[in-house]
Amino acid sequence: MAPTVGITTTAALDVALLDAAGVRPGARVLDVGCGRGDTTFDAARRVGPSGLALGVDASLTVLERARRRAADAGLAHVGFVHADPQQQRFAPLRFDSIVSRRARHVFADPDVGFTNLLRALRSGGRLAVVSSDEADGVRAVLERVGFVDVSCAAVGARDNAAAWLVSAGRRD
């Protein structure tokens, strides 16, 4: 049985997500399916100006809003990329942490999408995602594509389905 984490607000979920991914000052963080950038901004606050928080999303409309918010806040260490995160060629071994509140749902083929993210994660880096899919199914995909130390915790419900916080690492 997976442990349960009591999460009742979006802010608390972001804290748990960033903690599970090991986001720390100076880190380079990728937020997959970032939408309007709320989690990306939370990551930027945590990494500080010596780090980088990069959001990627397939919706140009929401990214334009996120870019305006970053400019209005004067955050030079936040960026947003308009791309399909399953197909985007991220620089290999670039990110210390990868996070997503919806990664599983932005991938047409989860194996291809998570393999792409694994290539972008540096050795020793962590991935953390929230998913409403069955925890064992998410674990199986992550392990199949090469992630290690996969852990799952129930975090309540989302869209009338159980939600899971799943984290995993990369080891070379």
Side-chain angles (χ1 to χ4, degrees), residues 54-157:
L54 182 67
V56 60
D57 201 285
S59 171
L60 184 57
T61 303
V62 296
L63 285 180
E64 287 172 347
R65 278 187 247 141
R67 288 174 178 147
R68 280 193 301 275
R69 290 174 64 203
D72 291 347
L75 297 174
H77 65 291
V78 175
F80 294 96
V81 175
H82 176 233
D84 174 351
Q86 178 172 305
Q87 302 299 324
Q88 175 67 21
R89 292 198 176 271
F90 300 107
L93 308 176
R94 177 177 186 170
F95 297 99
D96 300 297
S97 302
I98 299 175
V99 299
S100 181
R101 282 201 259 157
R102 57 189 72 80
R104 172 65 176 84
H105 303 285
V106 300
F107 296 142
D109 182 335
D111 284 34
V112 171
F114 284 114
T115 297
N116 189 36
L117 296 184
L118 182 64
R119 281 192 291 266
L121 192 63
R122 70 162 179 77
S123 180
R126 301 273 319 154
L127 164 87
V129 298
V130 175
S131 177
S132 57
D133 292 339
E134 180 57 44
D136 289 339
V138 177
R139 177 191 308 272
V141 169
L142 293 178
E143 289 176 345
R144 185 168 53 245
V145 302
F147 282 96
V148 296
D149 302 325
V150 181
S151 66
C152 302
V155 292

